[in-house]
Amino acid sequence: MKYFNVTVMAKGKKRQELIKAENRMLAVKVAKDKFPSTIVIKAVETAAPLEETFTEFMDGFKKSFKGKIPLNDKISTIRQIAVMTDAGIAINDTLYEVSENTDNKRLKDIYKNINADINSGNSMSDAMTPYTEEFGHVALAMTNLGERTGNISESYHKLADILENIRDNTAKFKKAIRGPLITLAAMGIAFTILIMVVVPKFKDIFSRFKTELPLPTRILLDLEWAFSNFGLLIIVIMAVIIFVVKYMYKNNRDFRYQMDKMMIHPRFYLINKAIFLSTMHKYNLVFGELVKSGIPVSEALDTAVGMVDNLAIKEKLLTVNANIGRGMSLAESFEITGLYENMLLQMVKAGEAGGQLDAMLDKVTNYYDMEFQDLIDNLSAYIEPIMMFFIAGLVLLMALGIFMPMWDLGKAVG
């Protein structure tokens, strides 16, 4: 949202009003609606007021510390709703029991509010709309489908299956990356301890040398000096940088887009491939399941793209629905994105021509899943050479930094 100083005239006198809107045209419209007895002369974009900036910063700050609802808790409650409605229990009674039985306080409050809205005469999808951020677009789509078909139970069973598939892949990736991260952390801690404990013992000896010290030795001495004098400051600066990056990523769309675009760049070995495959698998999984359930392709595309977290990939996938609206086929729209291999495009094209799009989308999803699983299963083999390179580099730096001056001293004595 932007801020505009809108100049209006009332009874021959001009005054300025601060209007918050997405663009200048909307600002003018808001001013006309808000002050119907005035004439809008002009609208000029301006900086946000200090109090508004502070309020937005505090809201973002609180949001950055407000964790998401655990996926396991959501899946558990969705399964309960599916089972209870399948047993013939009314939806309002089901939601009441689910809200009473769940241990998650936020979910408890959300289900109570949804139940209250339903009892007030709203549909379940309307009652869930304010909580789209908590449940996701796919949950809202499956709720709409369940209401249209009159079978909430089947829709929620399928929704739980989709979320479980996403959860399992995420958990598998985290488990595969945990080992290398622990190794890297242990290497960093061990190297820091060596710098702080071993190097000072040689520092006095090195200081007596009248010749210039070798480069590895100078690096070790500089690191020891920095850690000894500014160790706490370095830790604080690193913590602040991490916090600022996380805060900006969550609250600044332009910053997040640039970060997401950078993370899928080819120079980010393995990371780019893992993000791309997991994102495409999730997108095609949701899209395929929605099409299979009978949701129109256009609506299924909108819902599926809402599940994409990477903004750089999302920007390309958003063009698919727009191109279909211009008369292109699904395969042609996918091809324009540049995200699909030719083999997959041929499969989608064959599915459209033969009326078996849902079956072909299953094959596309399975392909991305197979590629992602292969990457995860062989992650250790991919990372081991990199880890060995770093370990060898640190050991070599430490060894050369300590022993090269000794060798020079031995030659001098000889």
Side-chain angles (χ1 to χ4, degrees):
M1 299 294 282
K2 299 176 182 177
Y3 291 85
F4 297 86
N5 278 328
V6 180
T7 304
V8 298
M9 180 177 287
K11 298 179 181 179
K13 293 183 178 180
K14 293 181 181 179
R15 71 173 192 269
Q16 282 192 340
E17 298 289 345
L18 186 66
I19 301 296
K20 186 177 180 181
E22 291 183 359
N23 53 54
R24 195 179 70 84
M25 297 288 290
L26 283 176
V28 172
K29 184 178 183 303
V30 170
K32 287 180 179 179
D33 294 340
K34 193 173 182 180
F35 311 105
S37 59
T38 62
I39 300 173
V40 177
I41 299 174
K42 63 178 180 178
V44 179
E45 187 176 348
T46 185
L50 183 61
E51 60 272 16
E52 289 285 342
T53 304
F54 180 75
T55 301
E56 288 180 2
F57 174 78
M58 292 305 296
D59 290 342
F61 184 79
K62 292 175 183 177
K63 185 180 177 181
S64 63
F65 282 98
K66 189 178 181 181
K68 293 182 179 179
I69 298 173
L71 190 55
N72 282 336
D73 291 350
K74 285 191 282 189
I75 292 173
S76 176
T77 56
I78 288 168
R79 282 287 186 204
Q80 290 178 45
I81 293 172
V83 170
M84 293 179 72
T85 52
D86 193 31
I89 301 174
I91 189 63
N92 54 339
D93 293 334
T94 296
L95 293 174
Y96 175 79
E97 290 299 327
V98 170
S99 66
E100 289 295 313
N101 292 327
T102 185
D103 295 325
N104 188 289
K105 188 179 184 303
R106 285 177 66 193
L107 273 179
K108 186 185 292 287
D109 294 338
I110 288 171
Y111 280 122
K112 283 182 178 179
N113 292 337
I114 292 174
N115 191 27
D117 286 346
I118 291 174
N119 289 332
S120 299
N122 293 325
S123 66
M124 188 173 177
S125 56
D126 289 339
M128 282 189 68
T129 300
Y131 307 104
T132 303
E133 186 176 347
E134 284 81 1
F135 285 101
H137 295 275
V138 67
L140 193 61
M142 296 306 287
T143 303
N144 273 316
L145 176 66
E147 287 183 321
R148 285 206 299 258
T149 60
N151 195 340
I152 286 286
S153 174
E154 183 180 347
S155 295
Y156 268 46
H157 273 303
K158 189 161 289 187
L159 172 61
D161 291 339
I162 294 172
L163 295 179
E164 283 177 351
N165 193 305
I166 295 171
R167 177 201 63 189
D168 292 343
N169 277 344
T170 303
K172 193 170 183 181
F173 178 73
K174 288 181 178 179
K175 184 179 179 181
I177 205 72
R178 191 178 299 130
L181 288 177
I182 293 173
T183 304
L184 279 174
M187 285 166 48
I189 294 171
F191 185 70
T192 304
I193 292 173
L194 287 173
I195 290 289
M196 299 297 293
V197 175
V198 176
V199 174
K201 296 184 182 299
F202 293 90
K203 191 175 181 180
D204 292 336
I205 300 174
F206 295 157
S207 64
R208 296 173 190 170
F209 290 3
K210 302 301 180 183
T211 59
E212 185 179 1
L213 294 171
L215 179 61
T217 306
R218 296 201 304 272
I219 292 174
L220 290 180
L221 291 175
D222 289 342
L223 287 173
E224 188 275 334
W225 177 83
F227 289 159
S228 298
N229 294 279
F230 303 104
L232 184 60
L233 181 62
I234 291 171
I235 294 173
V236 171
I237 290 173
M238 289 177 64
V240 170
I241 290 173
I242 292 171
F243 170 77
V244 170
V245 169
K246 289 181 68 175
Y247 174 81
M248 291 291 289
Y249 187 81
K250 287 185 177 181
N251 298 282
N252 188 301
R253 194 180 189 281
D254 292 336
F255 180 83
R256 180 178 176 182
Y257 175 81
Q258 293 300 327
M259 286 287 292
D260 286 346
K261 188 176 181 180
M262 181 177 66
M263 295 304 288
I264 60 172
H265 194 276
R267 72 166 65 98
F268 278 83
Y269 175 68
L270 288 182
I271 296 175
N272 62 335
K273 192 174 181 181
I275 292 174
F276 174 77
L277 290 175
S278 62
T279 300
M280 294 303 293
H281 170 255
K282 182 163 62 174
Y283 173 78
N284 287 281
L285 171 68
V286 174
F287 177 50
E289 289 293 340
L290 294 178
V291 170
K292 194 186 300 183
S293 300
I295 292 178
V297 170
S298 179
E299 187 178 335
L301 285 169
D302 280 339
T303 302
V305 82
M307 298 290 293
V308 176
D309 298 321
N310 188 285
L311 293 184
I313 296 176
K314 188 173 188 176
E315 183 182 55
K316 295 180 179 180
L317 291 173
L318 282 170
T319 63
V320 174
N321 216 354
N323 288 328
I324 288 177
R326 296 188 185 100
M328 291 185 183
S329 67
L330 182 61
E332 291 172 333
S333 302
F334 278 160
E335 185 177 7
I336 290 174
T337 65
L339 299 173
Y340 289 83
E341 297 178 17
N342 186 60
M343 173 189 70
L344 302 178
L345 294 172
Q346 295 302 321
M347 290 166 62
V348 174
K349 189 180 293 185
E352 285 184 292
Q356 295 182 329
L357 181 61
D358 53 348
M360 288 302 176
L361 288 174
D362 274 346
K363 294 183 184 299
V364 173
T365 302
N366 290 336
Y367 171 79
Y368 281 117
D369 187 43
M370 179 184 65
E371 290 289 307
F372 181 72
Q373 299 301 332
D374 180 68
L375 176 68
I376 298 301
D377 292 338
N378 295 287
L379 195 61
S380 297
Y382 293 136
I383 292 178
E384 275 178 10
I386 302 174
M387 302 289 290
M388 294 301 295
F389 174 79
F390 277 110
I391 293 173
L394 293 178
V395 172
L396 188 63
L397 176 64
M398 181 65 71
L400 292 178
I402 292 174
F403 292 113
M404 280 183 72
M406 299 300 182
W407 294 335
D408 293 341
L409 180 61
K411 291 178 183 177
V413 172

